[in-house]
Amino acid sequence: MEPVELRTPRTELSPPTRHDVPAIFQACQDADIQRYTAVPSPYLLEHAEAFVDAVPGRWADGIEATWAIRLDDRLVGMLGMHRLTTGSPEIGYWMTRGARGRGLLTEAAAAVVEWALAPDGLGAARLEWRAVVGNRASARVARALGFRYEGTLRHALVNSFGRDDAWIAGLLPGDDRTPQPWSVLGD
């Protein structure tokens, strides 16, 4: 599959390049990114280099689509669709600390969700979102995108800290995208 570039009113989404390595390395020093994603901890420069070097092959093999989220030509986050060949790909994301709380991630992720569900895009039958239990910021983004909370998967996520329980939510092409209450968010 060829890489897809997307634009929103404020962001540009394109595959990360070697030029992004220093920004990715710096962002992944954030304890929250290390705790709530699958990036290694400690996160070394060579991790960022290997990640960026792997992206083109994953696009080409059709197994994963990864975008750098850019604001004014500056990397502010990363967004990916994983497990593309399953028919139920999983969305994942992180934002730099300075870019959080401005709606940029929700805006960027909405563009990726539209692409993933569109018949002329990925044409997915279902999208999934998973996050470490307690990652309320990620859950708020998924809910804003219209994902429906489906439950908790015990010890389903693995990262440098071990195994964690995971919240899971799904989105189908015909779902109403109006945010629904999620019990885990207290509403």
Side-chain angles (χ1 to χ4, degrees), residues 55-131:
V55 168
R58 292 178 179 154
W59 272 99
D61 292 343
I63 59 172
E64 187 172 285
T66 303
W67 294 268
I69 304 169
R70 302 175 199 288
L71 176 67
D72 300 326
D73 294 322
R74 184 174 44 90
L75 185 134
V76 294
M78 200 63 60
L79 205 154
M81 277 287 174
H82 314 282
R83 301 184 352 250
L84 296 182
T85 60
T86 67
S88 300
E90 178 183 340
I91 192 169
Y93 39 76
W94 56 256
M95 289 296 281
T96 60
R97 188 168 296 282
R100 295 177 191 156
R102 298 169 29 195
L104 295 168
L105 180 54
T106 301
E107 182 180 314
V112 169
V113 165
E114 289 303 319
W115 169 81
L117 293 176
D120 61 340
L122 189 58
R126 168 188 165 84
L127 298 181
E128 291 186 357
W129 164 89
R130 298 172 194 224

Side-chain angles (χ1 to χ4, degrees), residues 3 29 58 60 175 182:
Q29 300 311 302
R58 292 178 179 154
D175 281 350
W182 285 24

Side-chain angles (χ1 to χ4, degrees), residues 2-187:
E2 289 296 316
V4 174
E5 293 189 8
L6 302 168
R7 294 188 189 284
T8 73
R10 298 182 292 169
T11 67
E12 176 187 315
L13 289 83
S14 59
T17 68
R18 273 291 181 143
H19 176 75
D20 297 312
V21 166
I24 293 168
F25 169 71
Q26 185 60 44
C28 290
Q29 300 311 302
D30 183 324
D32 286 338
I33 291 174
Q34 290 184 17
R35 175 68 186 102
Y36 289 128
T37 72
V39 303
S41 179
Y43 195 83
L44 307 175
L45 185 62
E46 48 263 31
H47 293 130
E49 293 167 340
F51 167 73
V52 167
D53 289 347
V55 168
R58 292 178 179 154
W59 272 99
D61 292 343
I63 59 172
E64 187 172 285
T66 303
W67 294 268
I69 304 169
R70 302 175 199 288
L71 176 67
D72 300 326
D73 294 322
R74 184 174 44 90
L75 185 134
V76 294
M78 200 63 60
L79 205 154
M81 277 287 174
H82 314 282
R83 301 184 352 250
L84 296 182
T85 60
T86 67
S88 300
E90 178 183 340
I91 192 169
Y93 39 76
W94 56 256
M95 289 296 281
T96 60
R97 188 168 296 282
R100 295 177 191 156
R102 298 169 29 195
L104 295 168
L105 180 54
T106 301
E107 182 180 314
V112 169
V113 165
E114 289 303 319
W115 169 81
L117 293 176
D120 61 340
L122 189 58
R126 168 188 165 84
L127 298 181
E128 291 186 357
W129 164 89
R130 298 172 194 224
V132 172
V133 167
N135 189 346
R136 295 187 185 296
S138 183
R140 284 191 295 274
V141 170
R143 184 179 67 176
L145 296 169
F147 280 80
R148 306 233 176 125
Y149 178 73
E150 296 175 341
T152 301
L153 302 172
R154 299 178 324 146
H155 283 212
L157 296 179
V158 179
N159 65 19
S160 296
F161 297 91
R163 286 196 164 272
D164 283 297
D165 292 348
W167 286 330
I168 186 169
L171 181 65
L172 304 178
D175 281 350
D176 175 5
R177 302 282 180 84
T178 306
Q180 304 294 312
W182 285 24
S183 60
V184 297
L185 293 177
D187 54 16

